[in-house]
Amino acid sequence: MNYIQKMRKLIGNEMLMTVGCGIIIEKDNQILLQHRKDHDVWGIPGGVMEPGETFYETAMRETLEETGLKVEQLKLFGLYSGEEGFSQYQNGDKVFSVQIIFYSNCFSGELLQSTEESHEHRFFSRNNLPHLNSHQERFIHDWVTRVNLPVIK
């Protein structure tokens, strides 16, 4: 049982603050997105930090689990908080998430398609994005407009 499941047993649907970490993975000027099974939207790989993990460990663990890719040379892309971090799920769970987003164009491994959480993974150009996860639109839009794009040397 993970941290979120343990906390939900204690607090039910009440507000839970979480730290989410994700990675904008770029190849040939395109972004890797995953088609989620739970909400029929596309977003970047990532997930919730477990106690004791670093931001980097969380982002890399979640990305490996969700995509099969080992990502290296992570650069901080952005920190996202504010009212847009609130979400209420269909089951009534309320969450406020702070997001730490990284960027990398250095990865290896075989890209998985169907996983426990995803229908598929695909690279998209800036001008041809699918229906996005509303909670990730802010940082995907920043990637599209090249806001905060780190320099990789």
Side-chain angles (χ1 to χ4, degrees):
M1 179 180 308
N2 67 30
Y3 173 72
I4 300 295
Q5 292 169 331
K6 288 178 185 176
M7 293 306 297
R8 284 291 170 210
K9 284 190 172 202
L10 296 172
I11 66 169
N13 298 117
E14 293 299 317
M15 175 72 71
L16 179 63
M17 287 195 65
T18 62
V19 176
C21 299
I23 306 177
I24 291 174
I25 299 172
E26 186 176 300
K27 178 179 103 175
D28 299 329
N29 211 27
Q30 296 185 322
I31 189 171
L32 177 65
L33 298 177
Q34 65 178 5
H35 187 197
R36 301 280 307 180
K37 286 183 177 177
D38 52 0
H39 296 296
D40 193 32
V41 292
W42 292 78
I44 66 169
V48 177
M49 178 182 274
E50 292 289 336
E53 281 187 315
T54 67
F55 300 131
Y56 290 105
E57 289 168 342
T58 301
M60 290 186 295
R61 173 184 54 79
E62 287 284 348
T63 299
L64 181 62
E65 289 173 3
E66 294 176 1
T67 68
L69 299 178
K70 180 180 177 187
V71 182
E72 298 177 17
Q73 299 180 17
L74 274 63
K75 302 288 184 185
L76 181 62
F77 182 80
L79 305 172
Y80 295 83
S81 60
E83 292 179 11
E84 295 93 343
F86 175 78
S87 182
Q88 184 166 1
Y89 296 99
Q90 289 178 335
N91 66 0
D93 287 355
K94 295 179 209 112
V95 65
F96 176 81
S97 185
V98 174
Q99 299 287 322
I100 291 85
I101 305 302
F102 296 97
Y103 170 91
S104 180
N105 61 2
C106 182
F107 57 92
S108 61
E110 184 176 335
L111 183 60
L112 302 175
Q113 287 305 319
S114 182
T115 66
E116 186 176 316
E117 298 179 24
S118 305
H119 290 295
E120 69 174 302
H121 295 90
R122 192 181 330 159
F123 284 91
F124 290 90
S125 65
R126 284 178 166 79
N127 60 359
N128 189 31
L129 295 174
H131 178 63
L132 297 174
N133 177 337
S134 62
H135 298 289
Q136 295 188 353
E137 280 182 305
R138 293 186 293 168
F139 36 89
I140 294 171
H141 182 262
D142 284 351
W143 173 81
V144 167
T145 59
R146 293 176 171 85
V147 171
N148 296 331
L149 196 61
V151 175
I152 304 290
K153 295 181 181 180

